[in-house]
Amino acid sequence: KAGVTQTPRYLIKTRGQQVTLSCSPISGHRSVSWYQQTPGQGLQFLFEYFSETQRNKGNFPGRFSGRQFSNSRSEMNVSTLELGDSALYLCASSSGLARETQYFGPGTRLLVL
Amino acid sequence: DQQVKQNSPSLSVQEGRISILNCDYTNSMFDYFLWYKKYPAEGPTFLISISSIKDKNEDGRFTVFLNKSAKHLSLHIVPSQPGDSAVYFCAAPPGSGATNKLIFGTGTLLAVQP
């Protein structure tokens, strides 16, 4: 079974731009969660989508948004980029049942200049 | 408010010896804990988990111990191997509701010296 894939792997943007990141979960998985990893804050939960609905949301500003499609693929969007948005963005997929193992993708490294 | 804490940013051990990674939590509602390992340029990989109804869970070289009264868990790796060198995160779901949200600690960088 193919693992979680994320595209693109690396991205450079400038302040004020917007960016869209994509995540394809493991086949059959209906839950996709997004995390931001930075040196100062560690791994922080952004949001989770299950069956095309946002099921949970972390403490991030409204500039961070996401969606999930009927094939469970998910995208996250960051508008009006700030320097502090430079981070590794990880997505994780699972069946969606509580306490099922989450499998992470390799991440998208975003650099905002 | 850091609900899951890993107070040691780094740890260095000799190959063949035991590695002990520690994690503390503040929320007594947490009842399930996981350890993930992360290599540079890769996503975290699930290692082992433990439910609060147990105080120990073992999987090969990896054992996790849970002390609920102290709100403390530890991951033991025996024997340690150079390939174990990575960042280790402990994590917990927030407790209630149908969610896959995980709260992560800040991680401990383990270096296993040959």
Side-chain angles (χ1 to χ4, degrees):
Chain A
K1 223 182 225 188
V4 179
T5 58
Q6 292 186 245
T7 56
R9 292 294 311 276
Y10 304 93
L11 206 47
I12 300 175
K13 292 285 189 178
T14 55
R15 277 182 302 174
Q17 287 187 310
Q18 67 93 28
V19 67
T20 299
L21 311 181
S22 180
C23 173
S24 292
I26 292 170
S27 177
H29 283 184
R30 295 166 65 192
S31 168
V32 174
S33 298
W34 288 89
Y35 292 83
Q36 180 196 65
Q37 185 183 21
T38 58
Q41 298 296 320
L43 269 158
Q44 291 191 295
F45 174 80
L46 279 155
F47 29 66
E48 179 199 0
Y49 285 87
F50 178 76
S51 293
E52 301 179 65
T53 301
Q54 188 180 86
R55 185 157 75 168
N56 210 330
K57 189 177 190 305
N59 295 324
F60 279 82
R63 299 186 297 106
F64 292 82
S65 63
R67 59 178 175 168
Q68 188 179 34
F69 301 95
S70 58
N71 62 358
S72 294
R73 190 177 69 85
S74 177
E75 290 181 345
M76 68 162 280
N77 183 278
V78 188
S79 62
T80 321
L81 283 166
E82 299 177 1
L83 296 179
D85 297 333
S86 295
L88 179 67
Y89 290 89
L90 293 156
C91 80
S93 82
S94 75
S95 65
L97 298 174
R99 302 184 180 184
E100 285 289 307
T101 299
Q102 293 189 59
Y103 298 87
F104 282 81
T108 294
R109 173 73 64 184
L110 172 65
L111 177 62
V112 182
L113 301 176
Chain B
D1 176 28
Q2 192 70 27
Q3 297 186 69
V4 179
K5 303 177 188 180
Q6 293 176 258
N7 293 318
S8 299
S10 63
L11 175 68
S12 181
V13 300
Q14 289 293 121
E15 181 179 4
R17 305 295 290 269
I18 183 171
S19 294
I20 300 176
L21 298 107
N22 294 303
C23 180
D24 297 295
Y25 61 98
T26 58
N27 192 332
S28 56
M29 296 297 292
F30 289 172
D31 62 0
Y32 185 67
F33 303 89
L34 307 93
W35 284 93
Y36 279 82
K37 175 171 75 172
K38 186 180 184 301
Y39 294 117
E42 294 183 14
T45 303
F46 170 75
L47 268 179
I48 192 169
S49 63
I50 188 166
S51 167
S52 61
I53 62 174
K54 296 178 143 185
D55 54 18
K56 175 183 173 181
N57 189 26
E58 194 171 351
D59 184 0
R61 296 184 299 114
F62 302 91
T63 303
V64 56
F65 296 91
L66 175 61
N67 182 333
K68 291 184 287 294
S69 61
K71 296 194 183 71
H72 176 83
L73 58 155
S74 60
L75 175 69
H76 293 210
I77 307 173
V78 184
S80 301
Q81 301 172 353
D84 296 329
S85 297
V87 178
Y88 289 78
F89 294 95
C90 64
S96 62
T99 176
N100 281 319
K101 172 182 178 178
L102 290 175
I103 299 170
F104 281 86
T106 49
T108 296
L109 174 62
L110 173 65
V112 180
Q113 311 295 335

